[in-house]
Structures are given as C-alpha cells and as structure tokens.
C-alpha cells in the first residue's frame, strides 16, 4: 500500500531544500528508489515537502539507509531544524 509523507520545515528555504536534496540524492531532480512522486515548495512560514512512497517499508528503508545517515551528519546550507510532519498509509490515489 502506498505511503504518504508530508514534512514542514519551519523557516526553511529553497536553497536549504536544494542542499539537502543534493546531499541525499547526488543531484536535483532525482528521487529515491520506491518514491512515486515528490513535490516541494514555499508555504507560509517555511518549506513544505510531500512525497508518495510505494510502501511504508520502502520509506523506512530510505530513511534508515540514506536520509538519517546524511542528516545526522548535517548538511552544509541545509535545514537547521527537523521538520514537523504527518505520515500515513494512502487510502485512495487517483491520477
């Protein structure tokens, strides 16, 4: 079952987001294996990221193997605080 992730980075900026994406994925425009889509942009008060992963297991693998190791070291120019977020199993997905 698909799994949705939404993360809000208070005070976050486009430059910080791009620094993190390059650190995790090697370049902009690349998303992790198992990710169906990824959108991000400015919202009032910060930066919002929403992704749809093929399953919670594939999300957990990405977080454990790529996201946390990179973020725990810090990313130069990246987000300065952890996000607030909501994660949930998708009940409906329409295209």
């Amino acid at each position: 079952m698909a799994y949705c992730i939404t993360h809000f980075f208070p005070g976050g900026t486009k430059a910080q987001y791009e620094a993190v994406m390059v650190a995790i994925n090697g370049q902009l425009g690349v998303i992790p294996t198992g990710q169906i889509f990824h959108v991000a942009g400015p919202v009032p008060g910060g930066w919002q990221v929403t992704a749809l992963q093929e399953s919670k297991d594939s999300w957990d693998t990405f977080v454990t193997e790529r996201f946390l190791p990179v973020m725990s070291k810090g990313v130069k120019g990246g987000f300065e605080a952890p996000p607030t977020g909501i994660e949930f199993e998708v009940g409906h997905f329409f295209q």
Side-chain angles (χ1 to χ4, degrees):
M1 179 175 290
Y3 195 69
C4 186
I5 302 93
T6 64
H7 286 158
F8 171 68
F9 293 88
T13 66
K14 178 181 179 184
Q16 290 173 316
Y17 166 78
E18 290 178 350
V20 169
M21 290 298 288
V22 169
I24 291 172
N25 299 308
Q27 64 183 3
L28 288 177
V30 173
I31 59 175
T33 300
Q35 206 161 89
I36 297 166
F37 77 79
H38 178 105
V39 296
V43 295
W47 193 263
Q48 182 73 44
V49 178
T50 300
L52 184 66
Q53 198 77 16
E54 62 188 14
S55 68
K56 183 173 185 330
D57 286 341
S58 71
W59 173 250
D60 290 342
T61 298
F62 164 71
V63 168
T64 301
E65 294 179 2
R66 294 181 64 192
F67 186 80
L68 288 179
V70 170
M71 295 304 286
S72 66
K73 294 176 188 173
V75 174
K76 184 176 181 178
F79 296 117
E80 297 176 7
T84 59
I86 297 173
E87 300 178 6
F88 59 94
E89 288 192 0
V90 174
H92 299 280
F93 176 61
F94 305 108
Q95 291 182 298

